[in-house]
Amino acid sequence: MAAYRKPKRSDWTKSLILIGVYVAVISVTAFILLITYWYLWLALVAGGVFILVLWHKKSTAYRCPKCGSEFEISLLTDLVSPHGITRTGGGWLYLKCPACSNRSKMDVLVKKKG
């Protein structure tokens, strides 16, 4: 079983940089590809979203605030679940806990490397 920890500022910074690079690439290529090669631009957008969601799925897990169970989710669940940020800077996803069936905002955890 993998070990998890709370996200650090460096984790949030890395996430924001990756999203910023993705948005910049999509914005720049929109001017170049959108009018004549729109299908290539759509493929670039879809591919980028897939890569970002795959990275997020592989690097995060979640903790139920009700029972404390820690769990991971599928790629599809990560893609379609509502995401958010708390006022204190933490992240959450609205999910159903596999242990207690509680549906609520689950706390985001980061998988420890090693």
Side-chain angles (χ1 to χ4, degrees):
M1 185 169 160
Y4 311 112
R5 63 173 171 78
K6 288 189 173 189
K8 298 177 184 174
R9 181 178 289 269
S10 62
D11 298 317
W12 292 111
T13 303
K14 182 179 179 180
S15 297
L16 289 174
I17 289 171
L18 287 172
I19 292 168
V21 167
Y22 172 72
V23 169
V25 168
I26 294 305
S27 299
V28 169
T29 58
F31 292 110
I32 300 167
L33 298 174
L34 197 53
I35 294 173
T36 55
Y37 299 106
W38 58 270
Y39 49 89
L40 289 177
W41 186 77
L42 285 178
L44 186 65
V45 169
V49 167
F50 178 77
I51 290 169
L52 282 174
V53 173
L54 184 62
W55 167 78
H56 189 256
K57 183 232 177 284
K58 287 184 176 184
S59 63
T60 57
Y62 304 91
R63 179 182 297 129
C64 177
K66 184 176 178 184
C67 71
S69 174
E70 295 177 346
F71 59 95
E72 296 178 23
I73 59 174
S74 71
L75 181 73
L76 183 61
T77 302
D78 202 335
L79 177 66
V80 299
S81 296
H83 295 62
I85 299 174
T86 63
R87 289 184 181 199
T88 58
W92 58 264
L93 258 76
Y94 190 82
L95 300 167
K96 179 180 177 182
C97 176
C100 69
S101 298
N102 171 40
R103 290 185 186 269
S104 66
K105 296 175 181 177
M106 303 293 170
D107 299 324
V108 175
L109 301 172
V110 176
K111 292 181 187 177
K112 290 183 181 178
K113 295 178 182 173

